[in-house]
Amino acid sequence: MVIHYTNFGNFGDDWEDESTPVPPPRRAPQPPPIRPSDNVSQTSPLPGSSSVAMEVDNGLLPVRLQFANNWNYQVQAHEVGRELLKAYNSAAVRHLTHLNATAGGRLSPDYPHAHFVSRRQRISLLLEAETWDEYRGLQDELFATGHYRVNGQATQNDEPVVTISGSRESIRSFRVWSQWWGCADPYAIEAEIMACVAKIRAAQPKFTLKRDWSNYTDEQLSELKRDHQRRLIESSVY
C-alpha cells in the first residue's frame, strides 16, 4: 500500500506523541507563513490579485488559475511573479479557512506538516518501525519542512523563465523572467506553473505500509503505539 503525499488528511486529529522525548514540532493553525524574499514576488497583503485567481489542493499546491481578460494590459512583465504570489496567498488562506470550518474549528496543529498522512496512518507507519532510530527518522520524514526550488519547462538563453520556491508548508515565491514573451500570455504562464507543480508532487515523499491495520480501532492503534514506542526506547538504552 503506497500512501501519496496529497491523498489523505484527517484535519481534526492532533499528534499523539507527547510522551516522545524529542517530539515533532507542534504548530498552531494559521495561514501559511511567507518570508520576505529579495525577488519580485514579495509578500503582499490580502485579498489577492485583481488580475489572477488561483485554487489550491489539500497540499496547498495550485490546481487552477484564472486570469483577467485584460491580463496583458493590466499586469506589467516585472509584476507577474508578485501577482501570482498574491493570488496564491489568498487561495491558501481561503482553503485553510474552509478546512478549519469543515473541521468545526479544530484544524489539526500538525497541518500542513503532516496533512498528507492521517493520524491513523501515521500511527500505523510508526508501529512498523523496528528500531528507535528508524522511528525517529520516520517522524522526521513526516514532519520535515521539505524546502524545494523547481523550474518550469520553458527556457530562454538556457535559463528557466519560471521558478517556484517553497516548502511543505507553502509556496514562498514565484519568479518569472520579465523578458520572457510568455509574461503576456496567461496560457503560457499557467502551463509553466503546472509544470513546476508536477515536479513538486513527483518529489513528495511516499510511504508504504507493510501490514494491514484495518482490523484495529483508533484507540487500539494508539495503545499499541505507546507500548511499541516504549519498547523501542528501552531497547535503544540497553
Side-chain angles (χ1 to χ4, degrees), residues 70-90:
N70 59 345
W71 165 268
N72 56 330
Y73 298 106
Q74 190 171 350
V75 178
Q76 299 297 314
H78 67 277
E79 298 174 333
V80 173
R82 183 182 62 191
E83 292 300 308
L84 290 171
L85 186 60
K86 287 167 62 177
Y88 172 80
N89 289 344
S90 179

Side-chain angles (χ1 to χ4, degrees), residues 104-185:
R106 294 173 55 246
L107 187 65
S108 169
D110 301 332
Y111 190 92
H113 276 271
H115 68 276
F116 57 96
V117 178
S118 70
R119 173 177 173 271
R120 180 182 178 88
Q121 288 150 346
R122 293 199 302 269
I123 292 175
S124 300
L125 286 164
L126 291 169
L127 278 169
E128 294 183 352
E130 297 180 357
T131 66
W132 179 238
D133 286 341
E134 183 181 346
Y135 187 102
R136 291 280 305 281
L138 181 56
Q139 278 188 330
D140 290 342
E141 282 191 77
L142 287 168
F143 287 85
T145 304
H147 291 281
Y148 57 78
R149 178 186 177 94
V150 298
N151 302 320
Q153 295 178 327
T155 61
Q156 195 159 324
N157 298 327
D158 296 325
E159 294 292 334
V161 295
V162 175
T163 300
I164 293 180
S165 301
S167 69
R168 192 176 290 178
E169 289 182 338
S170 67
I171 289 174
R172 306 298 191 191
S173 71
F174 296 84
R175 297 195 64 172
V176 183
W177 190 41
S178 60
Q179 302 301 313
W180 178 44
W181 62 266
C183 288
D185 186 344

